């Protein structure tokens, strides 16, 4: 028996990085996966093909998570094609790093829209099918930066801290409906988002981490699987840190 046998999962931002890792593990564990992306059409088609080998229904949707109407249309389309939504992973995210002195209003708004408003958009849209099913698990991708703050990332830190407050509130509101809501705070995970950094900078990061390595997309996917599955049936409103002990 696989951990997500027959479950329907929506994963935002899964054309690459952590989202792709989650989509892959979910499909391996028997889930039907509807994933989204912003612009990577080719990568999305390749992932659809790759994951179809696991034998469940897989479909990529080009859908801007920051757009309220688009999120509602996405969920409507998934319910029409897949029947329901059991799991939502709000993973899509961007950075527009710069010191506050130089940060433009556009850089602030863009990060808050894509990282935080998207969580509101998608979570609100799945409430109806999850209430109908009398169960659901929502997992929001925060960051250690949302807990600790980071120079040059005031917009990103605010969006990721906002996600934690949203998660606790949603858990409190929806618990009586058997809808769970948790957050994950990854530390330094080596993906395209971090691939832009110089190797010596990356090595310095690794040296400061108690487990002495950057995290992998699989490290985050494993914890996401736990929160998505019935293994975590009595866990809600929590933030799990996946950071190799970077933040204790
Ligand atoms: P990534 O490699 O840059 O991938 C981002 C994904 O989000 C892509 O699939 C991208 O689609 C999609 N996306 C971007 N804007 C979108 C939008 N408006 N609507 C829908 N999809 C959108 O990022 P990552 O490193 O895997 O990070 C994934 C999540 O983990 C983010 O929320 C990030 O903040 C968080 N996180 C990452 C780290 C880390 O060290 N990497 C640490 C802590 C938290 P396209 O390919 O089409 O652009």
């Amino acid at each position: 028996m696989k951990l997500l046998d027959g479950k329907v999962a929506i994963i935002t931002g899964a054309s690459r990085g952590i989202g792709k890792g989650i989509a892959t593990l979910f499909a391996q564990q028997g889930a039907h996966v509807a994933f989204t992306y912003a612009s990577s059409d080719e990568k999305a088609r390749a992932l659809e093909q790759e994951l179809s080998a696991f034998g469940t229904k897989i479909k990529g949707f080009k859908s801007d998570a920051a757009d309220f109407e688009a999120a509602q249309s996405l969920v409507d389309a998934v319910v029409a094609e897949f029947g329901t939504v059991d799991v939502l992973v709000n993973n899509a995210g961007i950075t527009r790093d710069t010191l506050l002195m130089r940060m433009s209003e556009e850089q602030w708004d863009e990060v808050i829209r894509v990282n935080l408003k998207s969580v509101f958009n998608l979570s609100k849209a799945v409430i109806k099918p999850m209430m109908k099913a009398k169960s659901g698990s929502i997992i929001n991708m925060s960051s250690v930066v949302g807990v600790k703050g980071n120079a040059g990332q005031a917009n990103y830190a605010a969006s990721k801290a906002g996600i934690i407050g949203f998660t606790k509130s949603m858990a409190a509101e929806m618990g009586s409906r058997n809808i769970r809501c948790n957050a994950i705070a990854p530390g330094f995970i080596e993906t395209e988002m971090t691939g832009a950094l110089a190797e010596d900078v990356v090595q310095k990061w690794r040296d400061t981490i108690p487990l002495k390595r950057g995290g992998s997309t699989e490290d985050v996917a494993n914890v996401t699987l736990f929160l998505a599955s019935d293994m975590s049936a009595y866990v809600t409103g929590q933030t799990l840190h996946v950071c190799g002990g970077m933040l204790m």
Side-chain angles (χ1 to χ4, degrees):
M1 174 82 175
K2 294 173 176 171
L3 283 173
L4 298 180
D5 249 346
K7 300 265 189 204
V8 176
I10 296 179
I11 305 164
T12 66
S15 48
R16 53 198 163 89
I18 292 171
K20 184 179 175 185
I22 294 168
T24 305
L25 186 60
F26 276 24
Q28 280 172 0
Q29 288 294 327
H32 304 292
V33 175
F35 70 88
T36 75
Y37 61 98
S39 60
S40 304
D41 293 310
E42 273 180 36
K43 284 183 183 166
R45 296 292 81 82
L47 187 64
E48 272 180 352
Q49 276 225 316
E50 194 185 320
L51 300 192
S52 297
F54 296 114
T56 61
K57 189 173 168 63
I58 310 290
K59 187 164 177 181
F61 294 81
K62 188 181 209 161
S63 178
D64 180 2
D67 181 324
F68 184 81
E69 301 293 336
Q72 187 59 59
S73 307
L74 169 77
V75 172
D76 289 346
V78 172
V79 171
E81 285 191 45
F82 290 68
T84 188
V85 183
D86 299 296
V87 178
L88 166 67
V89 183
N90 282 309
N91 168 77
I94 58 167
T95 51
R96 295 289 181 267
D97 298 351
T98 188
L99 294 174
L100 196 50
M101 275 175 68
R102 297 201 195 102
M103 191 175 290
S104 65
E105 184 183 2
E106 196 185 2
Q107 285 169 322
W108 171 268
D109 286 346
E110 209 181 341
V111 169
I112 298 296
R113 281 183 75 250
V114 175
N115 294 8
L116 182 58
K117 190 181 176 210
S118 64
V119 175
F120 163 74
N121 292 343
L122 270 298
S123 303
K124 193 168 161 65
V126 298
I127 284 178
K128 226 171 152 183
M130 286 186 176
M131 277 178 64
K132 202 172 158 205
K134 296 188 169 58
S135 76
S137 176
I138 297 172
I139 299 140
N140 299 323
M141 210 51 75
S142 180
S143 167
V144 290
V145 170
V147 180
K148 192 173 176 280
N150 195 24
Q153 291 197 302
N155 49 0
Y156 185 79
S159 72
K160 295 299 183 181
I163 284 177
I164 293 173
F166 180 92
T167 299
K168 291 179 183 176
S169 305
M170 184 155 192
E173 279 186 34
M174 302 309 296
S176 63
R177 310 292 183 138
N178 196 31
I179 298 171
R180 299 184 294 110
C181 186
N182 292 286
I184 294 177
F188 185 69
I189 309 300
E190 300 198 26
T191 66
E192 274 178 41
M193 193 180 256
T194 57
L197 301 169
E199 178 57 24
D200 59 324
V201 175
V202 172
Q203 194 51 51
K204 269 189 203 145
W205 270 103
R206 292 185 192 120
D207 292 342
T208 62
I209 297 168
L211 288 179
K212 297 295 168 210
R213 64 174 179 87
S216 65
T217 57
E218 289 79 11
D219 290 323
V220 181
N222 284 331
V223 175
T224 314
L225 172 63
F226 167 69
L227 290 174
S229 77
D230 292 341
M231 296 281 284
S232 59
Y234 201 52
V235 181
T236 195
Q238 305 303 311
T239 300
L240 296 191
H241 291 211
V242 184
C243 64
M246 184 196 269
L247 196 66
M248 295 194 228

